[in-house]
Amino acid sequence: MAQSSIEWTEMTWNPTTGCTKISAGCKFCYAEIMTCRLKAMGQEKYKHGFKVVKTHPETLSIPYTWKSPKVVFVNSMSDLFHKDVPVDFIKDVFKVMNDNPQHVFQVLTKRAERLFELHKELKWTHNIWMGVSVENDKVVDRINFLRKTKAKVKFLSLEPLIGALPNLNLKKIDWVIVGGESGHRPRPMNPDWVLDIQEQCEKADVAFFFKQWGGRNKKAAGRLLNGRTYDEMPEIMEIEKGAR
Ligand code: SF4
């Protein structure tokens, strides 16, 4: 596990590594860049490089050792629903999450179709937040697959937002995260797209989290929208915070 600088989580847990690109949002994949770095540094876990999907059964025991409740981004370096991750291993990862209800596990995929195919075989405890990434209107069907799953908490990561999403169907969606692309050659995010999504969330009473504007200097660009930050989380998180 590792502490995370991602604004909407606390730490990362990576039971699988490696992935392959599937849509425009993958263009400057963070996991690919990090995997190359970690491989060059000689890290055993990343020695196969990015394009080879590997499972790491030795990581499955880690969440049992955390002493206090955590909010955990599962697979920041991969996609749990990639076709090369065996179903049995996905079930093993779910068992760990089911066994540890004190932690919140945030699982994010671009393979929404496989998620939908498998969802009935998985046990969806309340602490598993299932999300799909949607970067433009070409991939909005991912949201429909997510909506039809048995996940108790469902969220959208609209990052890197590279196109307008004017007609989001937010039915059964609990949380929306928006963020712009960063790095050397980021694709621009039009502020009107962000404002429109924030308004859609407000109308639908869906928690809205604005992560960042992105750009070449993402720190300077900051994360203010309408002169304020938006750090809303699903209601279940608010309830659990109180119980901690
Ligand atoms: S699905 Fe995610 S991890 Fe896989 S290539 Fe795309 S951005 Fe990277």
Side-chain angles (χ1 to χ4, degrees):
M1 78 174 180
Q3 295 297 314
S4 174
S5 60
I6 301 169
E7 289 80 353
W8 47 264
T9 197
E10 282 178 9
M11 58 175 49
T12 54
W13 171 51
N14 282 290
T16 68
T17 53
C19 197
T20 47
K21 298 190 179 188
I22 186 170
S23 62
C26 300
K27 188 171 181 187
F28 301 119
C29 172
Y30 163 88
E32 181 182 32
I33 296 163
M34 283 307 294
T35 298
C36 292
R37 267 189 216 158
L38 294 167
K39 184 183 176 187
M41 286 162 65
Q43 284 219 7
E44 177 71 16
K45 192 174 176 186
Y46 297 94
K47 69 179 180 190
H48 298 283
F50 184 64
K51 287 182 184 155
V52 182
V53 175
K54 286 277 170 194
T55 60
H56 298 274
E58 75 284 0
T59 63
L60 294 177
S61 59
I62 295 173
Y64 295 89
T65 67
W66 298 330
K67 299 264 185 287
S68 57
K70 306 290 183 203
V71 181
V72 188
F73 178 20
V74 180
N75 276 329
S76 61
M77 299 296 284
S78 182
D79 187 331
L80 186 63
F81 290 91
H82 191 285
K83 66 176 175 44
D84 294 344
V85 181
V87 178
D88 283 346
F89 192 76
I90 296 175
K91 286 182 180 170
D92 289 345
V93 171
F94 267 70
K95 176 158 190 332
V96 174
M97 300 193 287
N98 299 149
D99 283 352
N100 286 279
Q102 72 278 25
H103 306 311
V104 168
F105 293 93
Q106 301 159 318
V107 185
L108 188 56
T109 187
K110 284 191 173 72
R111 273 83 181 176
E113 211 168 330
R114 188 166 188 228
L115 161 69
F116 177 66
E117 276 166 29
L118 297 180
H119 81 108
K120 285 189 183 154
E121 297 179 50
L122 305 169
K123 186 176 169 192
W124 293 97
T125 39
H126 74 282
N127 62 325
I128 300 171
W129 297 9
M130 188 66 231
V132 293
S133 298
V134 175
E135 63 268 31
N136 59 25
D137 62 0
K138 291 196 175 86
V139 291
V140 282
D141 59 331
R142 290 176 188 159
I143 305 173
N144 289 328
F145 285 117
L146 173 68
R147 197 183 345 269
K148 288 189 270 182
T149 69
K150 289 178 178 288
K152 299 249 185 339
V153 179
K154 302 181 181 74
F155 72 98
L156 310 180
S157 171
L158 312 181
E159 185 194 11
L161 187 66
I162 53 173
L165 292 169
N167 297 306
L168 284 171
N169 179 349
L170 295 172
K171 204 173 163 200
K172 294 193 180 171
I173 300 300
D174 301 286
W175 191 32
V176 171
I177 302 163
V178 172
E181 193 159 62
S182 46
H184 296 303
R185 285 175 293 137
R187 290 163 285 183
M189 178 171 69
N190 186 328
D192 289 344
W193 304 340
V194 185
L195 285 165
D196 177 49
I197 293 166
Q198 187 270 320
E199 279 169 20
Q200 290 183 62
C201 289
E202 199 169 305
K203 268 188 205 143
D205 202 17
V206 171
F208 176 76
F209 192 105
F210 183 54
K211 189 179 161 205
Q212 60 179 44
W213 285 106
R216 292 183 76 163
N217 185 346
K218 81 171 186 174
K219 268 201 183 145
R223 50 190 303 267
L224 293 181
L225 176 70
N226 293 328
R228 54 161 286 195
T229 52
Y230 287 85
D231 291 327
E232 293 163 11
M233 301 287 268
E235 223 160 76
I236 188 167
M237 187 70 190
E238 301 304 322
I239 294 163
E240 283 174 3
K241 262 189 200 162
R244 283 172 187 209

